[in-house]
Amino acid sequence: MRLDEGIGCELMLDGKKSIFSGMQATGTLTLGNYLGALKNWVELEDEYQCFYCVVDMHSITVRQDPAELRKRARALLTLYIAAGLNPEKNCIYYQSHVSGHAELGWILNCFTYMGELNRMTQFKDKSAKHADNINAGLYTYPVLMAADILLFQSDVVPVGSDQKQHLEIARDIATRFNSIYGDVFTIPEPYIGKQGARIMSLQDPDKKMSKSDENPNASIYLMDDKDTVIRKFKRAVTDSDNQIRYSEDKPGIKNLIEIYGLATGKSVAEVEAEFINSGYGDFKLAVGEAVADLLTPLQTRFDELQKDKAYVDGIIKSNAEKANYYATKTLRKVQKKVGFPERIR
Ligand code: ATP
Ligand code: LTN
């Protein structure tokens, strides 16, 4: 089924394939999230119909402070726009504003085996980390994620490698459902960005840069000011041979070359040539300046958007309506397939 089948809605009329992705509003986004996800998302907006969700329902699988969650969710949604996602082209919304996520999630729970969920490594990791709160939501987290994806008949799902297992289970659930009821769900494919797929920690370049890292010097946060960015790059862990060369046995410098390349649009060879006569001090300063220059417009736009409450509120309202419209189409079809009584109009 395609979402544009027989409906006169502008969003899908050009028959584009659809994309769904989401981020949790936990922690502050890093340069890794930007270069590995957000920046790539912006490039997809013309080719695909994209749905980008702030997955606040997933967030409460671990205990949250309500005021803090609300604030972070708003900041994340604002950041999606500040990073360049056009809210006219992309559907940017809160998961909790579209009840179809929960409704489809319930139905899919009844098509998911405990044996499948028992294999999920994220559940194992998170239950070890939150031993005092191993709740059923944490366990069925992948089912809600499958509902997110399948609700929009998503063709493509940009995710990090840690989410591949969840995407696999979404595909398995969809295939199982289709084999019982016919062609109901599109089977989604993962999309792993071409370049910058993995930005590494500045303090331990064998580990990925992550918003949940306890050491603030390991990550560049999208809201870090110029001085902070430069200071963090100056302190970045590297080897000591003082040559700017892209090599697997120089993980720190390799990471900095990749970051500089992505920030300036230069290739690895161009970066190596530019710094052939420089030492680490000059190179690190250049990386810091390039990244600060990349982040400044995003930060300015974020501040402007935060002040323009009415504009952002308008997007939240209209995009939730759009998302709800498409979600309901799939949901009604699924409800009918499983045998729920028709609604009386
Ligand atoms: P956490 O520390 O809470 O696990 P995270 O920083 O690893 O978070 P996620 O919320 O898991 O980030 O991921 C959001 C998106 O950002 C995903 O698409 C993921 O692929 C991407 N991403 C996260 N970290 C990096 C990184 N270091 N390099 C490239 N992409 C990244
Ligand atoms: N589990 C993902 C966030 C997420 C997601 C999704 C990503 C929830 N639903 C649907 C892609 C598609 C994470 O923690 N990064």
Side-chain angles (χ1 to χ4, degrees):
M1 172 197 160
R2 291 235 28 110
L3 285 171
D4 49 358
E5 248 173 31
I7 49 169
C9 186
E10 54 185 75
L11 203 64
M12 288 282 180
L13 267 186
D14 44 4
K16 285 179 183 171
K17 291 192 164 190
S18 64
I19 281 192
F20 184 97
S21 200
M23 280 195 205
Q24 294 207 48
T26 36
T28 317
L29 290 203
T30 70
L31 186 65
N33 298 126
Y34 180 68
L35 294 177
L38 277 179
K39 192 164 171 275
N40 297 327
W41 292 3
V42 175
E43 288 159 20
L44 299 167
E45 69 184 19
D46 290 322
E47 202 181 329
Y48 295 90
Q49 174 53 56
C50 305
F51 295 86
Y52 294 120
C53 186
V54 172
V55 293
D56 48 358
M57 288 163 63
H58 277 104
S59 295
I60 62 162
T61 54
V62 301
R63 206 62 77 222
Q64 302 287 341
D65 174 69
E68 192 59 29
L69 176 61
R70 217 180 330 272
K71 201 170 122 202
R72 282 189 169 160
R74 173 100 183 184
L76 180 56
L77 188 136
T78 308
L79 207 52
Y80 280 178
I81 306 167
L85 289 174
N86 179 346
E88 307 289 329
K89 290 188 181 173
N90 302 280
C91 194
I92 296 169
Y93 71 101
Y94 297 121
Q95 189 183 28
S96 61
H97 285 193
V98 176
S99 59
H101 287 272
E103 293 182 70
L104 183 61
W106 172 255
I107 295 173
L108 297 183
N109 264 322
C110 304
F111 292 84
T112 308
Y113 297 115
M114 291 180 65
E116 289 177 297
L117 294 176
N118 287 339
R119 287 199 292 273
M120 296 294 117
T121 55
Q122 182 176 295
F123 174 70
K124 290 179 198 161
D125 294 347
K126 288 211 176 164
S127 27
K129 219 165 146 186
H130 305 276
D132 56 337
N133 181 23
I134 306 177
N135 60 71
L138 196 59
Y139 186 62
T140 59
Y141 178 115
V143 185
L144 180 59
M145 181 160 159
D148 299 343
I149 296 166
L150 302 180
L151 204 49
F152 295 95
Q153 305 291 352
S154 312
D155 294 282
V156 183
V157 182
V159 279
S161 46
D162 60 325
Q163 295 298 314
K164 270 195 189 152
Q165 202 185 24
H166 288 165
L167 195 64
E168 263 322 302
I169 197 173
R171 286 166 58 88
D172 291 345
I173 297 169
T175 307
R176 180 171 309 134
F177 197 93
N178 285 355
S179 73
I180 304 172
Y181 299 106
D183 219 3
V184 178
F185 294 124
T186 302
I187 309 297
E189 297 288 337
Y191 171 96
I192 313 280
K194 335 151 212 161
Q195 221 190 345
R198 232 171 134 73
I199 303 299
M200 309 310 279
S201 154
L202 299 186
Q203 290 301 309
D204 178 358
D206 293 322
K207 223 173 73 181
K208 81 163 192 161
M209 186 181 285
S210 159
K211 54 179 144 61
S212 55
D213 199 310
E214 271 155 27
N215 180 354
N217 290 323
S219 304
I220 302 291
Y221 300 112
L222 296 187
M223 290 301 141
D224 279 349
D225 61 27
K226 186 166 185 166
D227 288 348
T228 308
V229 170
I230 291 176
R231 179 176 50 76
K232 286 185 180 177
F233 277 111
K234 262 192 196 157
R235 287 197 191 171
V237 170
T238 48
D239 54 72
S240 53
D241 87 348
N242 216 26
Q243 280 180 33
I244 291 87
R245 192 164 40 81
Y246 190 89
S247 161
E248 292 301 330
D249 57 353
K250 292 164 68 68
I253 288 297
K254 176 173 171 272
N255 189 36
L256 296 189
I257 292 177
E258 280 180 2
I259 293 174
Y260 185 76
L262 285 165
T264 58
K266 290 177 185 164
S267 68
V268 168
E270 284 169 332
V271 181
E272 284 179 331
E274 183 177 345
F275 294 98
I276 194 154
N277 295 319
S278 312
Y280 286 176
D282 290 345
F283 178 52
K284 285 178 172 180
L285 181 63
V287 182
E289 283 177 339
V291 169
D293 288 348
L294 181 75
L295 297 185
T296 304
L298 186 151
Q299 294 168 350
T300 309
R301 183 82 186 112
F302 181 81
D303 289 342
E304 285 166 7
L305 286 165
Q306 275 211 314
K307 284 182 202 133
D308 199 346
K309 185 172 180 305
Y311 172 72
V312 177
D313 283 351
I315 288 166
I316 290 172
K317 186 166 183 292
S318 64
N319 277 352
E321 281 165 7
K322 254 186 215 172
N324 203 40
Y325 174 84
Y326 290 109
T328 305
K329 287 207 73 88
T330 303
L331 187 64
R332 293 290 175 263
K333 183 162 185 180
V334 171
Q335 288 171 329
K336 192 169 169 195
K337 290 283 184 189
V338 299
F340 292 172
E342 296 239 13
R343 276 152 209 264
I344 315 292
R345 286 172 213 246

